[in-house]
Amino acid sequence: MPKELIEKIREKAGDAPVSIGLILGSGLGRLANDVEGVRIPYSELPGFPHSGVSGHSAELVIGDLHGVRVAIFSGREHYYENGRADAMRIPLEVLAGLGATALLATNASGSFRSDIPPGDLMILSDHINFSGLNPLIGEASDSRFVNMTEAYDPDIRMQIEAAAKETGIDIKSGVYAWYSGPSFETPAEIRMLKMLGSDVVGMSTVPEVILGRFFGLRCAAVSVVTNMAAGLSDENISHEHTKESAPIGAAKLAKIIEVLLPQLKL
């Protein structure tokens, strides 16, 4: 199926290889609007997820973004939608087949740290797969034993930090905990995750990075903090709040990507 999908996408978008793929999280879909290229609804691509989460579109956008040929997944399927940790396997296999060598994932998250408040960004330096789920369960080949020591590519992380500094945007680094959702975490769970070494928590990204590494992609990820985690503020944590808060950090991330892509070395 991936080979057929790759051919179908090339018929629409052309044969030029993609350089990098981007996965857009809640409220971040506007980044795809700057791409000069083609938009293909997931519904036209068998095996691609059909996101049922408000705030997520569901289309593949391929074209030029700040001088770089990109493939943007505007929308993702989360584990909590259908109980499939490998929901993004086919899209990421297709991404590698289109020539991409790197993946940049974005997500919305809740922060444990007062120095990373809502509206700020955090580069993922590592993650904790607290859910215990893995998108490679059932894979028969020995390639399933993926080395995750440097899951988040140190060189790409440095380039993101440099781009942020150039734009004057403050960006921290830290550890992301994957909690399966869809319910938000309890204050006790947040205290536990903080003790384990997490800095933010969210409901995505980790399975995508595992799959990205499985397909040989260099991976990086940035969290847009939309709220303080449960028990750390008086905020009313909700999906509506996430959608309302995400554009603040998304605007900062868009500026960083505008600087990052033209000088990105892969």
Side-chain angles (χ1 to χ4, degrees):
M1 184 182 293
K3 184 177 180 181
E4 296 172 0
L5 285 172
I6 291 165
E7 292 174 355
K8 183 174 184 177
I9 292 167
R10 283 177 172 159
E11 287 175 4
K12 294 177 178 288
D15 293 332
V18 166
S19 178
I20 186 172
L22 289 82
I23 298 178
L24 303 184
S26 297
L28 299 167
R30 295 178 184 177
L31 290 172
N33 296 337
D34 295 331
V35 178
E36 297 178 10
V38 300
R39 313 176 84 90
I40 309 172
Y42 287 174
S43 58
E44 296 181 10
L45 300 171
F48 271 57
H50 299 170
S51 177
V53 184
S54 60
H56 288 250
S57 57
E59 60 184 1
L60 174 65
V61 183
I62 296 181
D64 183 88
L65 180 62
H66 308 309
V68 177
R69 187 164 172 81
V70 301
I72 291 186
F73 299 97
S74 188
R76 56 155 63 93
E77 182 176 319
H78 303 74
Y79 171 78
Y80 61 72
E81 292 178 67
N82 294 296
R84 296 177 53 233
D86 65 345
M88 293 297 289
R89 176 168 179 147
I90 288 178
L92 291 174
E93 185 172 359
V94 166
L95 175 65
L98 291 171
T101 59
L103 170 69
L104 174 60
T106 69
N107 60 61
S109 66
S111 175
F112 304 169
R113 291 170 48 179
S114 60
D115 64 335
I116 312 180
D120 273 17
L121 305 174
M122 190 194 83
I123 302 170
L124 274 64
S125 59
D126 207 339
H127 72 234
I128 294 175
N129 183 356
F130 181 74
S131 71
L133 303 164
N134 195 296
L136 297 178
I137 291 173
E139 167 64 34
S141 71
D142 281 352
S143 56
R144 61 188 163 179
F145 301 111
V146 179
N147 185 342
M148 299 293 289
T149 303
E150 292 187 339
Y152 298 88
D153 189 274
D155 186 55
I156 297 178
R157 284 161 41 202
M158 288 177 59
Q159 293 183 67
I160 295 171
E161 289 175 350
K165 185 175 182 180
E166 190 172 330
T167 59
I169 295 172
D170 181 53
I171 192 167
K172 304 290 196 306
S173 292
V175 176
Y176 174 97
W178 177 35
Y179 203 88
S180 70
S183 59
F184 287 96
E185 306 77 30
T186 68
E189 288 167 337
I190 293 302
R191 292 194 297 272
M192 174 193 64
L193 291 171
K194 190 174 181 180
M195 289 175 63
L196 292 175
S198 305
D199 297 291
V200 300
V201 63
M203 303 178 189
S204 64
T205 301
V206 169
E208 296 147 17
V209 169
I210 293 171
L211 287 166
R213 295 300 303 127
F214 176 74
F215 290 119
L217 299 170
R218 298 171 63 187
C219 296
V222 177
S223 273
V224 172
V225 173
T226 56
N227 57 273
M228 297 305 293
L232 299 181
S233 77
D234 295 329
E235 293 174 271
N236 178 28
I237 301 172
S238 69
H239 187 58
E240 288 303 316
H241 179 75
T242 296
K243 290 192 294 182
E244 291 170 2
S245 302
I248 300 171
K252 296 178 181 179
L253 183 57
K255 291 179 181 178
I256 293 173
I257 288 175
E258 183 177 356
V259 173
L260 173 70
L261 287 182
Q263 56 194 32
L264 183 62
K265 296 179 178 61
L266 296 173

